Amino acid sequence: MKTLYHVTVSDFRESVRAKWFLIYSLVFGGAIVLLFVLGITESKVMGFTGLTRLLITYIQLCVAILPILVLISTVRSVVGDREANILEYFLSMPVSLGAYFWGKIISRFLLVFIPIVVALLGAVLWGLVKGLTIPWHAAGYYAILLGTLSWCFLGLGMFISTMVKKQEWGLGLSVLIWLVLLLFIDVILIGLMLQHKIIESVIVAIAMFNPIMVFRTAAVLLFDPELTAIGPASYVILDNMGYAGFLSFSIFYPLVLGWVFSLLGFFRFRSGDLL
Amino acid sequence: MIDIQNLTKQFGKYTVLDGISVKINKGDRIALIGQNGAGKTTLIRIILGQYLSEGSLTVFGKNPRHHRVEVLDRIGFVPQLPPPIQMSVGELVNFSASISQKSSLDGIYAKASDLGLDIEHHVKKPFQKLSGGMKQKLLIALALARQPDILIMDEPAANLDPSGRQAFFLQLIRSMEDTTMLLSSHRVDEVINLINRIIEIDYGKITQDELIDQAELADKVLACQITFTAPNDAATRMLKDWNFTAVNGDLEYQGNFIGAERLRFLTTISHFANHIQKLSIN
C-alpha cells in the first residue's frame, strides 16, 4: 500500500506538468466560463433555464468530448512510458506490478475527474453568487455520472495502452472506438429502427451496452423523467427498468465496465513482456 | 548470485538469446560486451524481470519476475539513456528513497556528492532540465544509495564527455567495493580497470567468458614495442598519450606501462589492428 501511494503521488505530480492536463483542464474549465459568458443561463430550451440549462449543455459537451479526452490521455500512459524508456527505469525499481498499474490508474482518475468536478463546482458557486436556483440533486448526480463515465473510459484506455506496442496505434484505436460509440451505433440503430427489421427492445438493449448512450440517457432522465426527448425508446427503458432502476444502472454499468477493462489491462500487463 | 541455465528469448521468430548458461558470483565485476543487437540489453531486462524467457534464471535464488520487489530491492540499475522523467529532482529522489528498504535521502545526497553532484542545488529543477552528465550521476546515486548487492549498468558513460567518463569511473570504483557489477559496454577499454571478468555475447550466444587476473602483473612495468605498416596520425596521438616515443622515424614506437594497464592498452591499440605489423610486450 505504501508503494501504491508513492506511485500514485509521483504519477500525479508527473502528469500535472504534462501539456495534455493543461489542455484538458482548460477545455472543461473554459467550457463552463464560456457558457456563462454566452449567457446560456438566460436562455430557455424545452422549458429548462438558469443553472439547469447550463448543466444540460455542459453534460452534452461532456458526452461528446470527455470519453475521447480520457482515452487520449490514458491510452498513452503505459505504452508512452514504454516508448520513452520510463517504464524500463521505473520497473527496475522495487515496485510491484500491481502498485505500478493501479497507482497509475488512481492517479489518472484523479487527474481526469478533478477538473470536471471543479468546473461543475465552479458553475454551482457562480450560480449561488448570481442568485440562481441550484438543482442540487441533478448537480450531485451529474458529478457521480461523470465519475463513472471517466472510470469506464479510463479502464478502456488502460486496457488499450497495455495491448498496443506504439502510441499511434493506441490513439488511432481510441478515436475509432469513440467514433463507433458516439456516432455509428446511434446512426446504425436508428436506421435499423426505421427499417422495422428488428424489434425495438432489442435495438434499445444494444444501445444500452454503449456507455455513452447510457450516460446520455441518464442525463436526460434527470430533467425529463418521462424521457419524452428520446421518443419511443423511452417506453422500453422505463417499462423494463423504471426511473430509479435506470439511474442505478447508469451508475453501476460504466463502473463495472471500467473495472472489467482495468482488470483485463492489468492481467495483460503482467502476463507478458513488460517492455 | 545470478544463475542462468539454458536461457532462450525469442521475439516472434527472431531468437535474441539462444540457450545461454552462465553463473555470476559475488564479487564478479563483469563487462558484458557485444555488438548492437547481440542480446546484452535483453539479458539485462530478463535479469530485472522485465522480459519473460524460456529456461531458468534465478537472482539470489529467486525468480525476478515472481519476486520482483525482494529481488529488485537488492539490484541497482542505471539505464543507457536517462528517461524523460517530468518530476523534479527532489521528487525523484524522494520517490526513490521511499520505495526502497535500504535507501534514504541522506544516502542519496551522499552518493551524489561523491559523484560530484550537489542535489541540494538542483532540488527544485525538473530532472529533464539537468545536463546529460548530471542526470546520469543522479541515476547512479539513486542506484548506489540502495546499497545494491548487484549493480547493473547499461552503457552508463554513454552520455558523458571524455573527462566526465574518467571522473565517473574513478568515483564508481570507490563507490562500489563490495558490489557485484554487470556492466554493458561497447568500449572495453573504458571499463577495463573496473572489471575482473568479460562476457561477450554474439548472435544470442556467449562466445567468451573469461576471468581477468590482473594481480600477477599488476605492479610490474612492461616494455612495449610497436611497428606500423604505414604512418597513422590517430595511432601516433594515442601512443603519445601513453608516453610512447618514436624510434626510427614514425613507424616504430616504444614505451612502458604497468601490468594493471595492459588490458586497457591492448583494447585501445586494437582500434588500429589493421595497421600494426609487429607488437611485442615484455
Side-chain angles (χ1 to χ4, degrees):
Chain A
M1 287 304 282
K2 185 182 146 202
T3 313
L4 177 72
Y5 168 77
H6 288 299
V7 172
T8 305
V9 170
S10 69
D11 189 67
F12 187 86
R13 284 176 174 160
E14 176 120 340
S15 302
V16 157
R17 294 193 181 91
K19 286 190 182 78
W20 72 261
F21 181 72
L22 180 71
I23 294 166
Y24 179 84
S25 304
L26 282 175
V27 165
F28 287 99
I32 287 285
V33 172
L34 204 66
L35 291 176
F36 271 113
V37 170
L38 293 174
I40 204 108
T41 52
E42 316 297 326
S43 65
K44 191 172 185 177
V45 172
M46 290 177 69
F48 299 121
T49 186
L51 202 61
T52 306
R53 168 85 180 99
L54 181 136
L55 285 180
I56 289 173
T57 312
Y58 182 63
I59 288 297
Q60 283 172 340
L61 199 74
C62 287
V63 167
I65 60 173
L66 182 64
I68 188 65
L69 285 178
V70 172
L71 279 175
I72 285 175
S73 59
T74 314
V75 84
R76 297 183 310 177
S77 54
V78 175
V79 70
D81 279 4
R82 188 182 285 142
E83 280 184 3
N85 287 330
I86 292 175
L87 198 60
E88 180 197 36
Y89 184 63
F90 276 102
L91 292 185
S92 73
M93 294 186 180
V95 174
S96 71
L97 297 182
Y100 171 82
F101 189 86
W102 296 109
K104 240 178 163 39
I105 283 201
I106 294 168
S107 139
R108 294 288 158 135
F109 178 73
L110 294 174
L111 284 162
V112 298
F113 192 51
I114 287 172
I116 48 178
V117 165
V118 166
L120 202 64
L121 216 60
V124 170
L125 286 174
W126 188 247
L128 283 172
V129 171
K130 287 280 184 182
L132 301 171
T133 309
I134 310 294
W136 291 106
H137 174 245
Y141 189 76
Y142 273 172
I144 296 170
L145 271 183
L146 289 168
T148 57
L149 189 72
S150 303
W151 178 253
C152 176
F153 282 93
L154 192 74
L156 180 60
M158 287 298 279
F159 175 60
I160 295 171
S161 195
T162 58
M163 293 292 290
V164 295
K165 292 285 180 194
K166 288 194 179 297
Q167 287 191 64
E168 288 81 8
W169 298 350
L171 290 171
L173 197 58
S174 300
V175 172
L176 187 69
I177 289 171
W178 176 67
L179 282 174
V180 167
L181 292 178
L182 194 68
L183 298 172
F184 294 124
I185 287 183
D186 219 8
V187 173
I188 291 166
L189 291 181
I190 288 169
L192 286 174
M193 206 174 254
L194 289 172
Q195 289 173 13
H196 298 289
K197 285 184 178 169
I198 302 173
I199 55 171
E200 275 180 3
S201 53
V202 173
I203 294 171
V204 174
I206 294 169
M208 288 301 107
F209 277 113
N210 179 350
I212 295 181
M213 290 289 281
V214 171
F215 178 85
R216 189 196 283 172
T217 312
V220 172
L221 185 67
L222 215 59
F223 294 103
D224 178 12
E226 303 296 318
L227 283 178
T228 49
I230 66 167
S234 62
Y235 298 116
V236 182
I237 293 169
L238 292 177
D239 287 355
N240 284 300
M241 291 184 166
Y243 179 83
F246 187 76
L247 285 185
S248 305
F249 173 73
S250 63
I251 290 173
F252 288 108
Y253 176 62
L255 212 57
V256 169
L257 217 52
W259 273 109
V260 168
F261 282 124
S262 303
L263 286 167
L264 284 173
F266 177 57
F267 291 132
R268 172 73 185 84
F269 174 64
R270 74 170 192 182
S271 65
D273 289 339
L274 301 174
L275 304 176
Chain B
M1 294 190 117
I2 302 176
D3 190 0
I4 299 170
Q5 295 297 327
N6 202 24
L7 190 80
T8 297
K9 176 64 186 172
Q10 290 181 305
F11 292 110
K13 289 179 181 174
Y14 183 56
T15 303
V16 181
L17 294 174
D18 190 5
I20 66 169
S21 297
V22 65
K23 278 190 180 182
I24 296 172
N25 306 307
K26 187 173 168 57
D28 279 356
R29 298 196 301 276
I30 297 166
L32 188 62
I33 61 170
Q35 293 176 344
N36 286 337
K40 304 187 296 289
T41 300
T42 302
L43 179 61
I44 287 174
R45 288 177 173 178
I46 295 172
I47 292 171
L48 293 172
Q50 295 172 342
Y51 282 157
L52 298 174
S53 57
E54 292 167 42
S56 152
L57 183 144
T58 57
V59 184
F60 313 118
K62 290 176 177 160
N63 183 319
R65 187 59 178 258
H66 300 146
H67 300 89
R68 275 184 58 80
V69 178
E70 289 166 66
V71 170
L72 293 179
D73 202 27
R74 297 174 65 185
I75 296 180
F77 172 68
V78 182
Q80 182 174 359
L81 292 171
I85 298 167
Q86 303 280 341
M87 278 186 263
S88 70
V89 169
E91 286 166 359
L92 181 60
V93 167
N94 282 332
F95 177 73
S96 184
S98 63
I99 56 160
S100 171
Q101 300 283 334
K102 289 183 279 183
S103 189
S104 67
L105 287 178
D106 291 343
I108 294 170
Y109 276 63
K111 290 291 178 190
S113 177
D114 285 348
L115 292 164
L117 177 68
D118 179 11
I119 292 181
E120 199 70 61
H121 189 68
H122 302 285
V123 78
K124 288 188 177 166
K125 200 182 273 187
F127 176 77
Q128 279 275 67
K129 300 274 180 192
L130 295 179
S131 70
M134 284 197 277
K135 283 180 196 169
Q136 207 70 346
K137 284 177 181 174
L138 181 58
L139 295 183
I140 292 161
L142 296 178
L144 291 175
R146 295 219 300 270
Q147 302 162 47
D149 295 313
I150 300 173
L151 183 64
I152 298 176
M153 295 187 282
D154 195 355
E155 296 278 359
N159 234 8
L160 304 178
D161 55 38
S163 62
R165 281 184 199 151
Q166 198 74 7
F168 158 66
F169 283 122
L170 278 172
Q171 293 293 344
L172 195 59
I173 292 170
R174 292 176 197 158
S175 304
M176 43 146 299
E177 283 169 5
D178 301 322
T179 308
T180 298
M181 187 173 77
L182 187 59
L183 185 66
S184 165
S185 181
H186 288 100
R187 297 189 57 180
V188 186
D189 55 314
E190 278 187 348
V191 297
I192 200 74
N193 288 331
L194 280 176
I195 59 167
N196 56 19
R197 187 175 168 189
I198 292 180
I199 295 177
E200 183 175 9
I201 300 182
D202 199 15
Y203 293 104
K205 288 181 181 292
I206 292 178
T207 52
Q208 182 190 359
D209 183 358
E210 286 183 17
L211 292 174
I212 301 166
D213 183 10
Q214 299 193 39
E216 193 186 335
L217 293 171
D219 55 352
K220 298 221 164 44
V221 176
L222 304 175
C224 177
Q225 284 187 314
I226 303 172
T227 307
F228 291 100
T229 53
N232 186 308
D233 290 344
T236 305
R237 280 197 299 276
M238 175 242 140
L239 289 171
K240 278 187 179 162
D241 287 343
W242 282 81
N243 294 322
F244 273 53
T245 51
V247 188
N248 301 329
D250 51 3
L251 291 180
E252 204 174 321
Y253 291 84
Q254 65 180 29
N256 302 314
F257 47 80
I258 58 168
E261 294 275 42
R262 76 191 190 288
L263 280 172
R264 191 164 76 86
F265 176 80
L266 285 172
T267 48
T268 309
I269 199 71
S270 68
H271 295 127
F272 310 102
N274 285 344
H275 307 285
I276 296 173
Q277 188 179 54
K278 188 179 166 192
L279 170 68
S280 67
I281 300 173
N282 300 303

